[in-house]
Structures are given as C-alpha cells and as structure tokens.
Amino acid sequence: GYRVEDLGVDVTADDFVAAAKEANAEIVLISALLTTTMVCIPEVVKALERAGLKGRVKVMIGGAPITREYADEVGAEGFADDCASAVDETARLMDI
C-alpha cells in the first residue's frame, strides 16, 4: 500500500532532496550495503535539513552495516534490519 520511488544506486544528496520534493515524500529511505557508503547518509540528512524538509520528511536507513545506534547518531528517525521490518517501521513512522 505504499508508493515507492526507487532512485537507484550512487544517488547524490541533492537527488534525494529533489525526489522528496517532487514526490511530496513522507519518508526517505536509504540503504547502505557497504561501510564505505555509510558516510553518505549524514550528507543526505543535512541536505534535507538545508532544504527545510527534515521536519516534514522522516529518514529511515538500513543495510548490512547499519545499526540502530548509527541511525540515532546521524539523525535518522527510523531503522530497519531487512525489508519485512522496514514495512513495520514505515507504519510506525507514519503513525499507522
């Protein structure tokens, strides 16, 4: 029951912001499959803040190297270990 916009791989922080604006997104989900990609997540969060979206748009992150502690550290409201828990976490973030 969710509409998902898949931005693909190697997505810039500005691309996340543009897509969130265009889709009038409620949540931005970011997946990092390698520890080397984790460093990009704070950039996306900061870009959303600069664009004035952070209060309206929540951020959920996940992927193999991601932990709940890291999500808290970078300012993500949500965290999921896998796709199934991401659905539950999305419902929680959207107050469903």
Side-chain angles (χ1 to χ4, degrees):
Y2 300 111
R3 192 177 108 227
V4 177
E5 302 283 334
D6 185 350
L7 302 183
V9 298
D10 297 326
V11 180
T12 68
D14 290 338
D15 288 341
F16 273 105
V17 169
K21 285 180 178 178
E22 184 177 321
N24 199 27
E26 296 178 60
I27 303 176
V28 169
L29 294 91
I30 307 166
S31 177
L33 298 178
L34 302 169
T35 56
T36 56
T37 58
M38 289 173 60
V39 298
C40 298
I41 294 172
E43 294 174 26
V44 175
V45 174
K46 288 175 186 165
L48 290 167
E49 288 172 351
R50 282 191 304 272
L53 295 177
K54 189 63 172 68
R56 183 178 61 79
V57 176
K58 294 183 171 86
V59 176
M60 180 179 5
I61 63 175
I66 304 297
T67 63
R68 169 66 70 183
E69 292 76 21
Y70 184 73
D72 293 341
E73 182 181 315
V74 299
E77 291 85 357
F79 162 77
D81 281 322
D82 54 41
C83 291
S85 61
V87 173
D88 294 336
E89 184 72 345
T90 298
R92 184 190 73 79
L93 290 173
M94 295 179 73
D95 294 323
I96 296 176

